[in-house]
Amino acid sequence: MSELRELYQSVILDHNKRPRNFHEPEGANRSADGFNPLCGDKITVYLELEDDVVKDVGFSGSGCAISTASASLMTQSIKGKSVDDVRQLFDGFHELVVGDSGEAADLEKLGKLAVFSGVREFPVRVKCATLAWHTMKSALEGTGEVAKTE
Ligand code: ZN
């Protein structure tokens, strides 16, 4: 087993067991629901946006270990970031797990999120890993639509 793969498993186990920011922040002013019909993952992402900065973020819902861990790590990585930075992270994460543009993902920028590169090996799991991100984006855009992974 490669080092990254071991790291991937331990990070996912840890974040699934103890999800970070697993609550609705008091000052939340945006939210969106997401659903991954393939796996049954359901999630709601809450954002507190102020002056184009994600002041606070949280999530609720239930899903598989990967969807929960991905949501947990996502909240950690976008908290305190500007909306522009969050959009860049979204693109970077998407590239990492889907990798359809042919460009190498910027692992340094993604930090801990890099462990999800292991998801690429399991195409069915990609939708679990990206659900929280799509839901967060739809909360960010304020479209009020239910984010779907399809
Ligand atoms: Zn799932």
Side-chain angles (χ1 to χ4, degrees), residues 36 39-41 63-67 124-125 127-129:
N36 174 15
C39 180
D41 309 315
C64 67
I66 290 175
S67 69
V124 165
R125 292 294 177 203
K127 293 184 192 304
C128 301

Side-chain angles (χ1 to χ4, degrees), residues 45-60:
V45 174
Y46 308 93
L47 297 173
E48 180 181 354
L49 276 185
E50 201 181 287
D51 302 326
D52 273 345
V53 169
V54 176
K55 246 186 100 187
D56 206 355
V57 52
F59 74 102
S60 64

